[in-house]
């Protein structure tokens, strides 16, 4: 019994170490997300279940640029992740053609839109998104 | 040179392993946060720079209850963490005495308020907070020693309209 345990233990230890290392890397360095939905066509093809690399390194610089594709928790459903393009940063004035209005993005928020405007449920529906919802401040 | 490296390597390996394990535990099990500000008096004492234990297991399925003290990223500044009491969950109707109005909390959001209503910058100023901003629940105060104890779930009376 003790001998069987002794032979298995290095394997178990390796698995645990690997998992913990994997979790830390996925949270803080980069992880992979599977695409779903047509809101970002043609950047992402809805038919193909593409997988994208989500980079997490910019978390300590909180370093986003207009035009980045970002991953964030949906403001309507915190269990769901969404992928959209960051259009405006805090303090920017953005023009919304559908509503014929101009809005200023409040501090700590940003405006996101899908590339496929007709099929995208984004800031034009739920307003500016708090940057705290960004997944560990990562981007693809 | 190689011998010095060989002597130091177990120590370096131990430090790296310890850090990675510590980071994972801090993100997924529990971490510690230092209190600052008077918005949660008397639950937290502003003079004492208390440290509180924040448990993260509630984030797996987002099972929060009304009355929990929660930690969340500020909707006004994503670099800042705030600690307030969760008063209402999605779908609740909440009564706001200051504005003499009743609001329904939208799906995916919650209403937070500080225990010290006069000095608290909370949902009464910035509205319902998306639940995706929640980062954990405060369960205990762990420092200073005279303040060690549980932080209990407490609901203010008469704020949530029963369905």
């Amino acid at each position: 019994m003790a001998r069987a345990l002794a032979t298995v233990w290095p394997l178990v230890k390796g698995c645990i170490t690997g998992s913990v290392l994997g979790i830390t890397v996925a949270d803080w360095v980069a992880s992979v997300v599977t695409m779903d939905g047509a809101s970002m066509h043609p950047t992402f093809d809805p038919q193909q279940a593409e997988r994208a690399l989500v980079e997490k390194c910019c978390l300590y610089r909180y370093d986003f640029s207009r035009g980045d594709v970002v991953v964030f928790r949906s403001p309507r459903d915190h269990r769901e992740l969404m992928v959209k393009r960051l259009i405006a940063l805090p303090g920017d004035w953005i023009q919304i053609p559908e509503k014929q209005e101009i809005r200023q993005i409040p501090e700590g928020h940003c405006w996101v839109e899908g590339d496929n405007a007709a099929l995208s449920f984004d800031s034009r529906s739920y307003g500016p998104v708090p940057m705290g919802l960004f997944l560990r401040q990562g981007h693809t």
Side-chain angles (χ1 to χ4, degrees), chain A:
Chain A
M1 182 61 194
R3 188 175 277 195
L5 227 61
T7 43
V8 160
W9 176 238
L11 180 67
V12 171
K13 198 165 73 165
C15 286
I16 294 176
T17 313
S19 315
V20 169
L21 201 64
I23 289 172
T24 307
V25 164
D27 283 347
W28 295 90
V29 179
S31 74
V32 175
V33 70
T34 307
M35 296 296 159
D36 182 34
S39 65
M40 286 294 289
H41 181 78
T43 307
F44 299 122
D45 184 348
Q47 317 280 23
Q48 298 213 34
E50 293 158 333
R51 284 178 171 67
L53 186 72
V54 182
E55 187 229 316
K56 313 267 174 118
C57 291
C58 51
L59 69 95
Y60 31 85
R61 291 191 307 266
Y62 293 86
D63 201 3
F64 294 100
S65 312
R66 299 176 193 82
D68 280 350
V69 175
V70 291
V71 181
F72 57 96
R73 290 200 177 279
S74 168
R76 291 289 172 87
D77 181 3
H78 47 276
R79 292 184 181 87
E80 194 181 319
L81 291 180
M82 304 187 86
V83 182
K84 298 281 178 280
R85 197 173 292 275
L86 193 153
I87 303 295
L89 292 169
D92 289 351
W93 288 89
I94 187 171
Q95 187 194 35
I96 307 164
E98 293 85 0
K99 296 190 197 162
Q100 311 229 310
E101 69 180 27
I102 299 176
R103 276 179 85 154
Q104 188 179 28
I105 310 302
E107 52 170 344
H109 290 66
C110 54
W111 190 267
V112 295
E113 280 184 17
D115 289 346
N116 189 1
L119 282 174
S120 172
F121 180 53
D122 52 32
S123 282
R124 293 166 303 157
S125 310
Y126 44 73
V129 171
M131 289 175 82
L133 289 174
F134 285 20
L135 206 63
R136 298 286 183 176
Q137 283 73 45
H139 62 252
T140 50

